[in-house]
Amino acid sequence: MKTSQLLIPTLRDDPGEAETVSHRLMLRSGLIRKVAAGIYTYLPLGLRVIRKIEQIIREEMNRAGAQELLMPIASPAELWKETARWDYYGKELLRFKDRHERDFCLGPTHEEVITDLFRREVRSYRQLPLNFYQIQTKFRDEIRPRFGLMRGREFIMKDAYSFDVDEAGAKVSYQKMYDAYIRIFTRCGLTFRAVEADTGLIGGDVSHEFMVLADTGEATVAYSDQGSYAANLERAEVPPPSDVDTTPLRPLTPIATPQRRTVEEVTALLQITPRQLVKTLLYRAGAETVAVLIRGDHEVNEVKLARLLNVTDVVLADSETVQHATGAPPGFAGPVGLQRVRILADHAIKAMKNVVIGANKADTHYQNANLDRDFTVEQFSDLRNAQAGDPSPRGPGVLTLAKGIEVGQVFLLGTKYSHKMNATILDDQGKERLAIMGCYGIGVGRTAAAAIEQNHDEKGIIWPFPIAPFHVHLLTVSQSEKTTEAATHLYTDLMAAGVEVLWDDRADRAGVKFNDADLIGAPFQVVVGDKGLADGIVEIKIRRSGIKSRIAPGDLVAQLRKLSTEADPSAA
RNA sequence: CGGGGCGUAGCGCAGCCCGGUAGCGCGCCUGCUUUGGGAGCAGGAUGUCAGAGGUUCAAAUCCUCUCGCCCCGACCA
């Protein structure tokens, strides 16, 4: 393609609306333009990247035995009411009525639609396993769209759904997708980790997320520095402490702590460390209020708490609720004499002795409070976030925390949807059984954004070869006929050789072209100009390394082939 | 939804406090020169100052409301 024939509106300045690297560079290099919050147009260059990623996904999904289909974006409320997600999904589900006042929604995911198809069309275990996938536009009315394609409301997703007769089969299907995802993200040139994940709104039992490691990531990953353990922080297990403090018990003593509410204020006043203090946090979980005891230097993991209480989410109680439950203003809650709410505690509390806790009385704490003697706990559980330096819950090593961008997630759903929608098949005994399902998603645009987060410099994008919009950016830096003629030949030869080449044939000066080429980030730049041609050469610049080499025009195609193979071994 | 901020030319911004002719840089158009890392000169076009009300002789500027967008939090591919 020629630049003069494509709309590639590059920007010299950073757009004011964009802060993250990928968002900024996508706008600047003319890949996308915003239409509304979280809603974008993919311009020709951006669409080429999207298509490249889609193609890699297609190849690997097909290789893994999945079959492609395409479901509608709009789906009727009835299906969603069957699984109760019409109510449960909340405001993220964009609903509307058709002209007959029938309720519809824009699909945020397609478990209902695919399960409906399955139950209508599939009867026998002989037809299984089945795995259907689609690459389609999804709509989720996100609370806060941000960072360009990283979290859009409308976005392109590959979603796949597997159906098996039994658990064993479902695990095989799950593993196939897991392996396919590893290949997909590897082929996209990303540095990533597969981590254990919470199942969230989709539901189910087992799940892994594929995290591209990048500082701009919204998720936190905890992984072992020596072993293979890796998990989303939401999920990362913290084993109970092995050593118990054996200090002799001292008598419980009230102590005045006027206006000292926070851990910092109380520990500063009493000259102790946060490790010697127990925070008592009150949470609302549905209709119930619970108290959660947690060591002063730890953070409550609300996902774990919600899971323990079997609710969808928990929120910190407001001050009125705290006052009602403890008889004291917030900041002075403690488990001693706390009657009105259940008391839950993180495992770490078991190991603590002579702790400081709130006294359920304004401006007062207790010193030397001790479990069982002074207060009791209804249930101990893993309720805190893992911290860097914690021992790995499985395998050797200690945990390190890093930021990650979630580009894909795989779930073993079990019968969650097949049960609610009665999706059954006959097994080899002629008995009706619920299909065991799995579902598997990849954010296509987010994968492109993540690739930019990991591959850029101050000049612009450095595309991994397999997902670059073009392999070669051909730059003519002189306006002479000689140069144009030489470039025309090279352009024709490259195209004939199957090289994806973008020829910057604009009448602009060399500097403009060099800068745009660096910004757009094709892996290789070929520079043709009067100077080089006088010496009988053209120049190749490798975008990533910046290394330039001079080469006879006749050798260009062969040389680029060689460089391409080095850049993308999987393409060979 | 809670907290913070912003809406002025295609992009980046100034002007607003202290009301009176809407500006700067880049980009765009024309011409000449230039042509290997964001050219120079000359000329030119482009704005419902987010919208609606109000105050005033007069509003981009002051007041009220509405809308949109960005950032921080709760959500997720």
Side-chain angles (χ1 to χ4, degrees), chain A residues 186-231:
Chain A
T186 303
R187 282 185 61 185
C188 288
L190 296 167
T191 302
F192 66 97
R193 288 196 79 125
V195 309
E196 294 177 20
D198 189 68
T199 49
L201 260 188
I202 307 282
D205 313 317
V206 179
S207 179
H208 284 87
E209 286 165 331
F210 291 79
M211 295 283 195
V212 170
L213 301 181
D215 290 336
T216 42
E218 297 181 82
T220 304
V221 176
Y223 62 94
S224 166
D225 59 347
Q226 290 170 41
S228 61
Y229 183 81

Side-chain angles (χ1 to χ4, degrees), chain A residues 115-155:
Chain A
T115 305
D116 182 54
L117 177 81
F118 179 87
R119 71 180 169 185
R120 289 167 187 277
E121 308 301 335
V122 181
R123 300 270 174 276
S124 161
Y125 75 98
R126 288 176 197 277
Q127 293 169 279
L128 303 189
L130 281 170
N131 188 336
F132 302 105
Y133 77 97
Q134 62 174 346
I135 297 174
Q136 188 222 30
T137 296
K138 296 282 184 280
F139 199 98
R140 296 182 187 174
D141 203 356
E142 290 280 345
I143 293 165
R144 182 151 93 88
R146 61 181 136 175
F147 304 153
L149 295 195
M150 202 85 91
R151 177 181 297 283
R153 290 192 291 171
E154 184 175 306
F155 60 101

Side-chain angles (χ1 to χ4, degrees), chain A residues 293 335-336 343-344 370-378 380:
Chain A
L293 306 186
V336 177
I343 301 176
L344 309 172
N370 285 289
L371 179 64
D372 297 333
R373 186 190 71 181
D374 306 316
F375 64 93
T376 55
V377 167
E378 180 183 310
F380 284 97

Side-chain angles (χ1 to χ4, degrees), chain A residues 386-514:
Chain A
Q387 292 179 329
D390 282 345
S392 171
R394 289 196 293 283
V398 298
L399 296 182
T400 302
L401 301 187
K403 288 287 177 188
I405 300 164
E406 185 199 337
V407 289
Q409 186 164 13
V410 291
F411 298 86
L412 204 51
L413 291 171
T415 56
K416 176 170 173 176
Y417 294 92
S418 50
H419 176 69
K420 285 188 174 143
M421 297 182 70
N422 196 31
T424 62
I425 33 119
L426 295 178
D427 68 11
D428 55 0
Q429 309 296 313
K431 225 177 84 188
E432 235 182 23
R433 295 172 70 141
L434 291 172
I436 314 288
M437 293 175 60
C439 72
Y440 317 93
I442 291 178
V444 176
R446 189 182 280 186
T447 300
I452 295 173
E453 292 291 337
Q454 274 190 344
N455 299 281
H456 68 271
D457 62 15
E458 64 289 344
K459 304 283 280 181
I461 304 171
I462 305 172
W463 285 112
F465 186 89
I467 63 173
F470 288 95
H471 300 143
V472 174
H473 206 152
L474 177 65
L475 312 178
T476 38
V477 294
S478 312
Q479 300 304 318
S480 70
E481 254 177 54
K482 193 171 88 177
T483 290
T484 306
E485 194 183 319
T488 306
H489 278 123
L490 290 173
Y491 179 65
T492 313
D493 290 351
L494 287 166
M495 300 248 284
V499 176
E500 295 174 19
V501 51
L502 176 64
W503 176 9
D504 192 341
D505 60 338
R506 296 174 299 175
D508 283 284
R509 320 189 97 224
V512 173
K513 297 190 180 188
F514 287 132

